[in-house]
């Protein structure tokens, strides 16, 4: 990262409610409603800890939040995880931080028993970069649900088989 020191952490703090909202809004991609949802997940983690089902990975550069992910095991599954959020600050996009953040998140999920990771995004044009990012990082488009969010705005579901020990005893 050009000589910059990255700091990683899994614990969210009260101040992260504001920092994550500002980060989400700064991208110019997400709606206010989506920013509210991002903050709600932070609040859920603060209130319930791991029992809330939301895990976080934050990366800071020189004390500034450069990006984060929110992820967790999908209830009712044995080893499937959802990537709820991945957001990188505009000034850090296209620097490799997003790829590192995703790889660290996937490693954390594998360490928790994950065999698959799912990510959903909108079909709107403004989410095209997100769709290209997933595809460039080994995610396969598994489903498209037209008009899911609203007329003309479908849901695109991506999946990735994660490396590690498969549940049948063979290495994958």
């Amino acid at each position: 990262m050009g000589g910059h020191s990255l700091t990683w952490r899994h614990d969210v703090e009260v101040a992260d409610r504001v920092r994550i909202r500002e980060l989400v809004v700064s991208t110019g991609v997400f709606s206010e409603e989506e920013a509210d949802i991002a903050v709600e997940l932070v609040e859920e983690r603060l209130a319930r800890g791991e029992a809330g089902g939301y895990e976080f990975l934050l990366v800071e550069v020189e004390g500034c939040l450069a990006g984060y992910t929110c992820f967790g095991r999908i209830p009712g599954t044995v080893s499937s995880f959802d990537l709820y959020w991945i957001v990188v600050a505009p000034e850090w996009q296209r620097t490799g931080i997003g790829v590192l953040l995703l790889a660290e998140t996937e490693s954390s999920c594998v360490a928790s028993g994950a065999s698959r990771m799912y990510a959903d995004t909108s079909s709107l044009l403004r989410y095209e970069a997100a769709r290209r990012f997933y595809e460039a990082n080994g995610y396969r488009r598994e489903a498209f649900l037209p008009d899911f969010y609203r007329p003309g705005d479908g849901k695109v579901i991506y999946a990735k088989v994660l490396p590690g020990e498969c549940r049948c005893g063979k290495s994958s």
Side-chain angles (χ1 to χ4, degrees):
M1 298 301 103
H4 294 283
S5 173
L6 303 181
T7 304
W8 299 89
R9 64 185 168 91
H10 283 274
D11 295 323
V12 291
E13 303 164 355
V14 172
D16 289 324
R17 293 182 303 190
V18 171
R19 295 174 77 205
I20 285 176
R21 172 181 284 288
E22 289 172 351
L23 176 64
V24 168
V25 170
S26 76
T27 67
V29 174
F30 302 103
S31 69
E32 279 297 315
E33 182 181 14
E34 288 169 313
D36 290 343
I37 292 167
V39 173
E40 285 174 20
L41 299 184
V42 175
E43 290 171 346
E44 178 74 9
R45 175 63 187 208
L46 289 168
R48 299 190 58 213
E50 288 183 22
Y54 298 107
E55 302 292 329
F56 285 82
L57 180 60
L58 297 91
V59 60
E60 297 175 343
V61 178
E62 298 168 6
C64 294
L65 185 60
Y68 89 101
T69 57
C70 177
F71 56 96
R73 182 181 310 274
I74 300 171
T77 71
V78 172
S79 61
S80 294
F81 279 57
D82 230 333
L83 177 62
Y84 299 111
W85 285 91
I86 181 167
V87 183
V88 174
E91 62 271 23
W92 290 104
Q93 292 175 7
R94 297 179 193 14
T95 66
I97 279 188
V99 173
L100 285 174
L101 186 56
L102 183 59
E104 289 293 322
T105 298
E106 290 171 353
S107 291
S108 181
C109 291
V110 167
S112 295
S115 63
R116 289 185 176 268
M117 180 78 93
Y118 292 88
D120 305 347
T121 193
S122 166
S123 65
L124 292 177
L125 186 59
R126 71 177 188 252
Y127 292 89
E128 177 64 27
R131 294 191 300 273
R132 283 195 317 265
F133 175 79
Y134 290 131
E135 291 167 6
N137 285 282
Y139 285 75
R140 195 174 86 186
R141 181 175 162 159
E142 294 287 344
F144 173 67
L145 308 176
D147 302 322
F148 182 85
Y149 297 106
R150 64 193 55 80
D153 184 4
K155 180 179 194 173
V156 183
I157 302 171
Y158 287 93
K160 182 177 183 179
V161 175
L162 299 175
E165 201 59 33
C166 107
R167 303 309 171 251
C168 57
K170 297 178 192 164
S171 214
S172 59

